[in-house]
Amino acid sequence: MKSAWGLVFFALILSATLTISHALLRAAAAHTPLELPWFIRVGSALFLYGLVFFSYTVLLRYFDISILYPVYTALSIMGVSLVGIAYFGESLTLYKIFGMATLLIGIGLMSI
């Protein structure tokens, strides 16, 4: 199962899950700590982090760590940036666009 498409598929699943957990933590920051909405968001984020951690350890049986980790981490960084821009109203700068393009090029090079 060392196919490039398999790697991309599983890296996308990991990064999407990690991105959602980061978004939940960002949303929790808008609430008073230790109140129910905060606990729900933080608890959900921790559950997703655990799911990513467990899935990652399983996937390391099938993919090289030197490729899987950079690819899923780069995709996570891009996902968090895009969620920050689209959902939380953060700014989209030329540097962010250049950085994301550089990450995509790096992912492509790592996958070859």
Side-chain angles (χ1 to χ4, degrees), residues 2-14:
K2 286 192 169 201
S3 76
W5 287 112
L7 174 82
V8 170
F9 174 76
F10 288 114
L12 280 170
I13 297 297
L14 286 176

Side-chain angles (χ1 to χ4, degrees), residues 28-47:
H31 296 280
T32 305
L34 305 179
E35 289 186 352
L36 186 59
W38 182 86
F39 271 116
I40 292 170
R41 286 169 177 79
V42 170
S44 298
L46 290 174
F47 172 77

